[in-house]
């Protein structure tokens, strides 16, 4: 006697779920920073949320050594599986060499930059009223960061060094300001300020430019790219993305301290933004956090 339609359906369902259950888990190796609580960092928590929402099996672990962004990009580009995902401020070059997940992790909030400075130089910045007033001053940035080209494209002077060296450089007066995202400045002041007592957060200015930080994978890793993209979209649709963004201490605490609406806003363009990134739907951007991208 032939199998009933219901029986056939049951067999198909069992075969499907058996395939899912036996699917090879996605290998998710992300960068870690020396001395940082990486597991509780917002990028890692959002990544894990996206992977859960994707419905794909996965295994997450930090890379065994700390690294700067340039090295992380180089390892990802090699596509050898030692590092499978990292997050960077995007640029045209990065989007060509790697595979971007075009949903902004911080919803564009990192496009609002406040400055770490040597506290003795606050009067210099109190006198700044326009972008042109910043031209005589020297900005510091990390080696290989996309912000270097953004700032230079606006006519600002920029010097670069390894990330950990930027704080003693600023402390010792070998640079005037270190533009940081609103979620970064106070955390870095707390972390690096003990050994660099002259550091302070500048009190009056915000430098604003369209800016997206993306998760990136190697060009060949379509499966991980799609899992992260689909998971982020699902998390945004059900509100869990926004809930994490609004409640994470690194973001909520920073917004309270920064007082964006009380600062003078200096606006520059981001010449590195691709048409694809500029076309990201408006709802993904933080309200007021990305003038010119909506």
């Amino acid at each position: 006697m032939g199998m009933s339609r219901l029986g056939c359906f049951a067999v198909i369902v069992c075969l499907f779920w058996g395939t899912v259950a036996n699917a090879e888990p996605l290998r998710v190796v992300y960068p870690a920073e020396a001395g940082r609580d990486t597991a509780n960092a917002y990028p890692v928590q959002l990544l894990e949320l996206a992977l859960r929402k994707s419905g794909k099996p996965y295994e997450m672990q930090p890379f065994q050594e700390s690294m700067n962004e340039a090295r992380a990009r180089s390892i990802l580009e090699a596509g050898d599986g030692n590092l499978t995902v990292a997050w960077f401020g995007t640029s045209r070059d990065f989007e060509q060499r790697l595979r971007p997940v075009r949903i902004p992790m911080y919803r564009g909030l990192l496009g609002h930059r406040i400055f770490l400075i040597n506290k003795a130089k606050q009067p210099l910045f109190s006198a700044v009223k326009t972008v042109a007033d910043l031209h005589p001053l020297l900005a510091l940035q990390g080696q290989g960061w996309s912000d270097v080209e953004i700032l230079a494209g606006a006519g600002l002077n920029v010097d670069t060094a390894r990330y950990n060296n930027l704080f003693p450089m600023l402390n010792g007066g070998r640079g005037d300001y270190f533009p940081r995202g609103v979620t970064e400045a106070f955390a870095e002041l707390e972390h690096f300020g003990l050994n660099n007592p002259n550091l302070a957060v500048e009190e009056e200015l915000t430098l604003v430019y369209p800016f997206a930080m993306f998760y990136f994978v190697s060009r060949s890793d379509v499966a991980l790219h799609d899992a992260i993209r689909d998971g982020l979209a699902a998390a945004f649709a059900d509100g869990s993305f926004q809930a994490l963004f609004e409640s994470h201490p690194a973001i909520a605490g920073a917004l309270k301290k920064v007082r964006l609406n009380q600062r003078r806003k200096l606006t520059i363009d981001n010449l590195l933004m691709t048409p694809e990134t500029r076309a990201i739907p408006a709802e993904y951007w933080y309200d007021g956090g990305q003038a010119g991208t909506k």
Side-chain angles (χ1 to χ4, degrees):
M1 185 171 64
M3 185 180 293
S4 69
R5 286 186 179 180
L6 183 59
C8 288
F9 178 75
V11 169
I12 292 170
V13 169
C14 289
L15 288 172
F16 171 77
W17 285 111
T19 301
V20 171
N22 294 321
E24 186 74 20
L26 295 166
R27 186 166 178 268
V28 184
V29 184
Y30 59 89
E33 291 184 47
R36 296 294 189 93
D37 179 13
T38 304
N40 289 315
Y42 172 77
V44 177
Q45 291 193 351
L46 181 63
L47 177 61
E48 188 163 19
L49 173 64
L51 291 167
R52 287 201 312 270
K53 295 291 182 178
S54 76
K56 305 291 185 184
Y58 64 92
E59 294 177 352
M60 283 183 69
Q61 65 183 80
F63 193 79
Q64 293 182 347
E65 304 171 12
S66 62
M67 67 185 72
N68 61 25
E69 287 192 11
R71 184 175 176 226
R73 285 197 300 274
S74 177
I75 297 173
L76 273 184
E77 192 171 5
D80 57 14
N82 289 325
L83 182 75
T84 63
V85 62
W87 44 92
F88 318 115
T90 193
S91 73
R92 188 180 307 275
D93 180 49
F94 299 170
E95 292 179 31
Q96 290 173 347
R97 291 162 49 196
L98 301 167
R99 188 176 292 274
V101 179
R102 281 197 181 89
I103 295 178
M105 299 164 48
Y106 283 91
R107 306 191 61 204
L109 180 62
L110 292 184
H112 274 79
R113 297 280 162 155
I114 60 175
F115 304 155
L116 285 175
I117 62 169
N118 183 307
K119 63 180 69 173
K121 296 189 177 184
Q122 180 60 53
L124 283 176
F125 294 93
S126 296
V128 169
K129 308 300 180 186
T130 68
V131 173
D133 293 335
L134 287 177
H135 287 179
L137 305 178
L138 180 62
L140 299 178
Q141 288 287 279
Q143 292 173 341
W145 293 5
S146 57
D147 309 81
V148 175
E149 293 183 66
I150 297 170
L151 298 174
L156 303 178
N157 292 315
V158 188
D159 193 12
T160 65
R162 292 176 63 87
Y163 173 75
N164 285 344
N165 293 337
L166 294 169
F167 303 95
M169 287 175 66
L170 198 62
N171 186 71
R174 290 176 291 153
D176 296 308
Y177 64 111
F178 182 13
R180 305 304 291 136
V182 298
T183 62
E184 299 167 323
F186 284 98
E188 289 172 333
L189 179 63
E190 182 177 351
H191 185 75
F192 292 99
L194 289 177
N195 294 324
N196 299 282
N198 295 325
L199 294 185
V201 174
E202 197 282 325
E203 299 171 354
E204 300 180 27
L205 301 173
T206 311
L207 182 66
V208 181
Y209 49 88
F211 188 83
M213 180 173 281
F214 292 149
Y215 293 111
F216 286 88
V217 302
S218 76
R219 293 295 302 174
S220 61
D221 200 346
V222 177
L224 182 54
H225 168 274
D226 290 355
I228 298 171
R229 179 200 60 198
D230 295 347
L232 286 175
F236 197 88
D238 69 19
S240 53
F241 185 142
Q242 299 93 312
L244 176 62
F245 175 82
E246 293 167 5
S247 65
H248 194 279
I251 296 174
L255 285 173
K256 184 176 181 179
K257 289 179 180 178
V258 168
R259 303 170 290 101
L260 285 176
N261 61 347
Q262 298 177 31
R263 289 173 170 265
R264 289 194 302 285
K265 184 170 74 171
L266 307 176
T267 302
I268 62 176
D269 193 15
N270 178 354
L271 302 178
L272 303 183
M273 282 191 89
T274 62
E276 294 86 354
T277 295
R278 290 187 185 272
I280 291 171
E283 60 265 26
Y284 282 117
W285 299 103
Y286 175 73
D287 249 346
Q290 278 289 304
T293 63
K294 296 184 179 181

